[in-house]
Amino acid sequence: MDVASPPLSTGPDATGTSAVRPSRTVLRLSLHAAWILALAILTELRVGRFGFHPSDQGFILAQAWRVLHGEVPHSDIISARPLGSAYLHIVDFVLPGPLFFVSSVLSMLEIILATIAFTVLVTRRRVRDWGPGLTGLTAAASLLNLNAFPLMAWHTIDGIFLTACGAWALDRGLREGKAWPRRLGLVLLGTAVFVKQSFAPVPLIALFWLLLHPSTRDGAFRTGRWWARLAWDLLALGAFLILYLGIVLVDGGLGAMAEQLTGGVPAYGERLLGLWLENPETLTRPPVRGLPLFAIAGVLLALLGIFRDRAGTAGAIAARLLLLAGVAVVVGTVVDGHFTGASRWADVLWWILGVALLVNWAATRRFPRMGALVFATGFMTSLSWGNDTPTLFTGTLALTAILLLADALPPLPAPSRRIGLAGATAMGLVAVLASGWAVVAHHDEAAYLDMAHEKLTEDLGTVTPSMRGIRTNPGTFAYIAQIQDCVTRFPAARTAVLPDNPFAYPAFGLRNPFPLEWPLPLEIVADAPQRMLATADELNRDGDYLVLFQTVSMPTLTKGGPVPAEVAGDAPIFDYLGMENALRTRLTGQTVTCGSFIGKWVPRP
C-alpha cells in the first residue's frame, strides 16, 4: 500500500534541478504546515470550544498559573504527579488570544504532531515525501486520537507528544549523524516522565536506544571525543531532571516531593492486560470480537509472507485481501466502540497492534522496533486513574496496525503513478471525512461532561475575556457567572473556589492560597489534609481572603442544572471527604452568599 509520494530526486541536471529542489521542498513543507495548523484551528472551532466543565478543563492551566507566579512544585503546590505540564503550558498564557481557546488549539497541535511523528517513525518516510494518502490517513488518525476527549491542556497529551516528537528527533539525529536533533530528542524524552509517572520508561528507552545504536557504538570506549559526546548526550537527557530537581531542592521540597509522588494510588494497566481474561466470552462481543478475527487474518497473512516464493502472484493477491479484512476489523472496532471508554475499544486496538507486530515480524523477518515503541506508548497512556485505557492514542494504534500489515505484504507490480496517486488521494480523503464526521457527530450528541450541541447556547466570553468563544449550557454558564459576581462583590488578595473549580484561577486571575487546585480524593496525597487546614489558620491570622464553597455538584452541571439563584448561608456544601466542611468550620471570616455559592470573607483592612 504505497500511500506516499516517491522521494524527490537528489541529483542535479542541466535544467537546474539542484536549484529547483529546495523550493519544492519548502513548498511541500509549507503545505504540510498549513494543513496541520488548519486542522488544529478547525477542530477547535467546530468541536473543542463547544462544551465546558469547570473541573478538569482548567486543571493543568491552574497549575501553570501558579508556576507562572513563582510557586514551587511540591513545596507550594501539592501534586501526586510531577508538574512538568505546568511548566510546558506557561506558553498558553504567552500567546495572544483568549486563554482557553488558545490552549485548546495548542493541545490539538500536540495531538497532530505526535501522530505525525509516530507515522514518520513507523513508515521511515520524511513528511516532505508524503503523498495525499499518508497525509490523509495521519490527519484522520489525529482526529481519532481526540475522539470523545475534551480538547484541553492535559498531562497525558503532553506525555504522548514528548515521547513521539522526542523519538522522531532522536531517530533523525542518530541516522543522519547530527548533534542538535539528537540532543533535542533526548531533552524531550527526558522531560516526558515529568508530566506523568506512567511515562517513566521513556528515558530508559531513550538511553538504551542511544547506547545501542550503531552510530553510537562506533568508536565506543576508544576516544575522549566519544566520551565527551556521550556526556553531552546524557546531560541533554537529564536536562529537565536537573532543572526540576534544582528548583525543588532550592526550596527544600525534595522530601515533600518524594512523599507526594509515591503517595498516590498506583496504576498497573491490569484492565488493559486482562481484557478478556476474566470473561473469555467477551471475545465474541463487540468491540472485542474484532480481536480474534484480526488474529486469524494476521496469521494467514504471516504465512503468506513466510512462504511468499511458493505462493506467487495468487498469494500476493490473497495477502491484499487479508489486508482489507484487517482494515475492516480495525474500522469495525472503532464503530463498535462508539468512542466510549467503557466499551474498551481502545484496549482492543492496542491488542490488535500487538498482533500486527508479530505478523510483521514473522513476514519480514525483522523486528518492527518503531511499531513496538508505539505499542509501549499505548500501554503507558493507559496508566491512569480516571481513564485507564489508551483512548487518547486510538488513531495512532489503528494506523500503526494497518501500516505494519501493509509492510508485510508480498510484492506485486505497482500500478501506474496516476492510478496510484488517485487511489491514495481517495483513500486519504475518505479517511479524513469519515473520522471527522464521527468526531463531530459524537461531540454534538454530548460534549464531554456537558450537553448536546444545540443546548450549548451561552458564550463564556461574556463572563471573562479569557474564555471568549467557549460555549456551554445555560446552567453551567450561570454557575460560572456567579463565580465572577462573587469575586467582584467580595474582592480579596487570595481567593479559593472549592472543590471542583480549578479553571477559576487562570480564568479570573485569582491567587489560590491553598496548596491544591482540585482536592479530589485521589489528589489528596501525603500531608495534604494537614496543610489545607494549616492554610486556613494562616488565612484567619492574615485576613484579606475569600473562600467560596460550591453547593452544586458537578454531575448536576453536566445535566445543565438546576443552579439556584441564591442559597442560604447555612445551606449544605458539596464535599468529598469532609475537607470542605472542615475548612468552612475553621475559617473565621464572615459568611457571605452569592448565587449558589457560600463563602467566608475577610475584606482588605
Side-chain angles (χ1 to χ4, degrees):
M1 184 173 65
D2 189 3
V3 292
S5 300
L8 296 171
S9 173
T10 57
D13 58 31
T15 61
T17 302
S18 60
V20 173
R21 182 179 177 277
S23 64
R24 292 183 61 192
T25 299
V26 170
L27 175 61
R28 287 193 172 194
L29 291 177
S30 298
L31 290 174
H32 282 294
W35 78 256
I36 292 168
L37 186 60
L39 182 60
I41 294 174
L42 289 174
T43 304
E44 169 63 9
L45 288 172
R46 184 57 186 85
V47 173
R49 71 189 189 94
F50 289 97
F52 185 80
H53 202 253
S55 56
D56 45 7
Q57 285 188 257
F59 184 40
I60 301 299
L61 289 179
Q63 293 177 333
W65 176 250
R66 298 184 73 147
V67 168
L68 187 62
H69 284 82
E71 296 193 38
V72 178
H74 311 295
S75 295
D76 302 318
I77 313 167
I78 294 176
S79 176
R81 289 166 295 275
L83 289 170
S85 287
Y87 285 93
L88 294 179
H89 286 279
I90 289 176
V91 70
D92 299 32
F93 294 85
V94 176
L95 296 179
L99 172 62
F100 284 78
F101 186 96
V102 169
S103 180
S104 294
V105 172
L106 289 176
S107 294
M108 191 62 202
L109 280 174
E110 285 188 81
I111 292 173
I112 297 170
L113 291 174
T115 310
I116 290 173
F118 276 125
T119 304
V120 169
L121 290 168
V122 172
T123 62
R124 317 306 294 170
R125 293 188 176 184
R126 300 172 302 181
V127 175
R128 68 188 186 204
D129 296 333
W130 287 9
L134 190 55
T135 300
L137 289 176
T138 304
S142 302
L143 292 169
L144 286 182
N145 279 333
L146 174 63
N147 56 82
F149 200 78
L151 200 46
M152 64 181 185
W154 199 243
H155 38 67
T156 304
I157 294 176
D158 296 335
I160 296 171
F161 169 77
L162 292 168
T163 301
C165 293
W168 184 9
L170 176 61
D171 179 66
R172 180 187 171 189
L174 289 172
R175 286 190 296 111
E176 298 180 2
K178 295 181 178 179
W180 76 263
R182 182 180 74 247
R183 287 178 184 147
L184 173 62
L186 290 170
V187 169
L188 296 177
L189 293 168
T191 305
V193 65
F194 284 91
V195 300
K196 195 179 181 186
Q197 293 98 315
S198 60
F199 292 94
V202 171
L204 296 177
I205 293 172
L207 181 61
F208 282 108
W209 190 350
L210 176 69
L211 295 178
L212 299 179
H213 195 272
S215 67
T216 305
R217 293 204 309 269
D218 184 31
F221 306 110
R222 298 177 185 173
T223 66
R225 183 178 179 183
W226 183 90
W227 284 104
R229 166 182 158 167
L230 178 62
W232 282 108
D233 287 347
L234 294 179
L235 181 62
L237 182 62
F240 196 85
L241 167 70
I242 296 170
L243 173 66
Y244 192 87
L245 291 183
I247 292 172
V248 176
L249 177 63
V250 168
D251 204 59
L254 279 182
M257 174 181 169
E259 291 180 6
Q260 292 167 25
L261 298 187
T262 60
V265 177
Y268 300 111
E270 57 271 19
R271 292 189 67 191
L272 174 64
L273 296 175
L275 178 61
W276 71 86
L277 296 181
E278 292 185 3
N279 183 10
E281 292 184 4
T282 304
L283 290 169
T284 64
R285 303 171 188 161
V288 186
R289 64 184 177 186
L291 179 56
L293 296 175
F294 189 90
I296 293 170
V299 169
L300 295 175
L301 181 57
L303 291 173
L304 288 173
I306 294 171
F307 300 104
R308 64 179 60 188
D309 294 335
R310 297 183 184 180
T313 302
I317 294 173
R320 279 151 179 81
L321 294 176
L322 290 170
L323 171 63
L324 291 177
V327 172
V329 169
V330 171
V331 173
T333 300
V334 174
V335 173
D336 285 341
H338 302 291
F339 286 1
T340 60
S343 71
R344 314 304 295 185
W345 66 293
D347 298 22
V348 179
L349 290 175
W350 184 79
W351 278 100
I352 282 176
L353 175 57
V355 173
L357 284 170
L358 298 176
V359 171
N360 184 277
W361 193 3
T364 65
R365 297 176 177 84
R366 65 178 186 274
F367 181 67
R369 290 173 295 175
M370 298 307 168
L373 176 63
V374 173
F375 190 66
T377 305
F379 178 75
M380 290 184 279
T381 301
S382 74
L383 300 178
S384 172
W385 289 333
N387 193 29
D388 59 341
T389 175
T391 311
L392 274 167
F393 207 52
T394 47
T396 298
L397 293 173
L399 179 58
T400 303
I402 293 171
L403 291 173
L404 289 177
L405 284 193
D407 184 54
L409 294 175
L412 268 182
S416 69
R417 180 177 177 82
R418 182 175 297 178
I419 294 176
L421 181 62
T425 302
M427 176 178 58
L429 184 61
V430 168
V432 171
L433 292 177
S435 59
W437 172 83
V439 171
V440 169
H442 187 88
H443 279 262
D444 281 359
E445 182 180 350
Y448 174 79
L449 296 182
D450 211 327
M451 306 184 75
H453 184 82
E454 65 271 10
K455 296 181 180 179
L456 306 176
T457 57
E458 305 293 335
D459 189 331
L460 289 170
T462 61
V463 179
T464 173
S466 65
M467 304 185 75
R468 191 183 314 124
I470 309 300
R471 303 287 288 271
T472 189
N473 67 77
T476 301
F477 177 87
Y479 176 91
I480 294 174
Q482 288 174 355
I483 297 176
Q484 194 274 340
D485 178 59
C486 291
V487 299
T488 301
R489 289 171 54 191
F490 306 106
R494 292 169 293 178
T495 302
V497 191
L498 301 174
D500 291 316
N501 307 279
F503 87 98
Y505 307 111
F508 298 110
L510 308 177
R511 297 301 308 276
N512 179 16
F514 292 101
L516 281 170
E517 281 72 35
W518 191 14
L520 283 174
L522 288 173
E523 300 288 342
I524 299 177
V525 294
D527 60 347
Q530 296 89 335
R531 287 181 60 180
M532 292 286 283
L533 293 173
T535 300
D537 293 335
E538 293 175 7
L539 292 176
N540 289 330
R541 182 181 66 249
D542 300 336
D544 195 9
Y545 68 84
L546 172 67
V547 179
L548 297 174
F549 301 96
Q550 67 190 64
T551 63
V552 178
S553 68
M554 291 297 105
T556 300
L557 292 183
T558 300
K559 300 174 183 177
V563 177
E566 195 67 39
V567 294
D570 59 351
I573 61 175
F574 187 74
D575 195 349
Y576 283 108
L577 297 173
M579 174 75 68
E580 283 69 29
N581 275 304
L583 292 173
R584 180 184 184 182
T585 301
R586 199 155 185 138
L587 291 168
T588 58
Q590 62 177 295
T591 299
V592 297
T593 63
C594 47
S596 62
F597 289 87
I598 297 171
K600 287 296 187 75
W601 179 51
V602 175
R604 296 186 180 96

